[in-house]
Amino acid sequence: MSEREISKLLKFLLEFGPVLVFFVGYLWLRDESFTIYGVEYAGFIVVTALFVPLCVIAMAASWRLTGQIAKMQAVTTVLVVVFGCLTVWFNDERFFKIKPTLIYLLFAAILVAGLLRKRSALQYALEDALPFKTRTGWLMMTRHTVFFCLALAVVNELIWRHFSTDIWVSFKTFGLPVLTMVFFVADTYFVMNSQEERTASSEESSEV
């Protein structure tokens, strides 16, 4: 199936809509408890149970409308399903809270595996989104992204283990996307400037 374009607003809703619904649902049900088949579930567990199919529906809708599924969205959705189901099955919110940690560790491992082969898995995933034209630029950005993913994994562990669920949900909903956006914007600018400086230095050296 060939790729088809959709509006930026619709793309945003498909990618981040489920997360926003999870946030609103949590705020609405966080102080509630529900007894289902004799088992008591906190509001967080119920919202997680609703979030899992919503993510699958969003991914399916994205595939139906565009003809493709973003690689990162597919990996994230699979982990949402796995850890969301574990959360509900064991009635333990810790499974869902550790999910971002494992996602970032997995991304870091994939990027490192590519770097060991002198390749950029980041380029494979984001070639149309980032402006790098050289292999060196992609490799530099990939190395930086590895450390960024590891840092986010550590931060997520610190927050869910040492702060309230309210703080963790806010961090997951808004903190992670904002930090990711800031990182990619800032590091893209840094890498491009570094590439330009190296090119200028090489030209000066050749003239001498």
Side-chain angles (χ1 to χ4, degrees):
M1 185 178 294
S2 60
E3 179 181 353
R4 295 185 294 272
E5 292 291 331
I6 59 175
S7 69
K8 292 183 178 179
L9 176 59
L10 182 55
K11 183 178 180 181
F12 174 83
L13 290 176
L14 290 174
E15 291 182 358
F16 297 103
V19 177
L20 295 176
V21 171
F22 175 85
F23 178 74
V24 173
Y26 170 74
L27 293 182
W28 183 27
L29 300 176
R30 60 183 172 182
D31 296 324
E32 304 291 335
S33 62
F34 303 83
T35 301
I36 304 174
Y37 294 111
V39 179
E40 185 175 350
Y41 296 94
F44 182 96
I45 306 296
V46 173
V47 173
T48 300
L50 297 175
F51 178 65
V52 171
L54 189 59
C55 285
V56 175
I57 291 170
M59 186 177 69
S62 179
W63 175 78
R64 184 70 179 84
L65 293 170
T66 67
Q68 68 168 5
I69 299 175
K71 302 171 188 67
M72 294 179 68
Q73 183 183 20
V75 172
T76 301
T77 301
V78 169
L79 291 175
V80 165
V81 171
V82 172
F83 286 93
C85 289
L86 288 173
T87 296
V88 176
W89 181 263
F90 290 102
N91 199 8
D92 189 341
E93 65 185 35
R94 291 176 297 179
F95 285 103
F96 199 68
K97 288 181 176 180
I98 201 175
K99 173 183 65 68
T101 300
L102 298 180
I103 287 177
Y104 287 114
L105 290 177
L106 176 61
F107 286 164
I110 292 172
L111 295 179
V112 169
L115 289 172
L116 292 175
R117 295 179 295 166
K118 306 297 182 183
R119 295 179 181 178
S120 171
L122 190 68
Q123 181 180 4
Y124 179 69
L126 300 176
E127 188 168 15
D128 295 333
L130 298 178
F132 303 121
K133 303 298 182 183
T134 65
R135 179 171 171 272
T136 303
W138 278 108
L139 291 175
M140 182 183 296
M141 185 74 179
T142 302
R143 288 193 294 270
H144 296 170
T145 305
V146 169
F147 289 108
F148 177 68
C149 287
L150 294 176
L152 287 185
V154 171
V155 171
N156 183 68
E157 284 296 297
L158 291 175
I159 289 179
W160 84 259
R161 291 178 184 276
H162 299 289
F163 294 89
S164 68
T165 298
D166 284 1
I167 292 176
W168 179 82
V169 170
S170 297
F171 169 72
K172 177 184 178 296
T173 305
F174 303 107
L176 288 176
V178 169
L179 287 173
T180 300
M181 181 182 67
V182 170
F183 166 76
F184 275 105
V185 170
D187 205 51
T188 297
Y189 178 78
F190 173 79
V191 171
M192 292 186 69
N193 277 353
S194 298
Q195 293 293 296
E196 290 175 1
E197 290 176 2
R198 289 184 181 183
T199 301
S201 298
S202 297
E203 291 175 353
E204 290 177 0
S205 298
S206 61
E207 289 177 0
V208 174

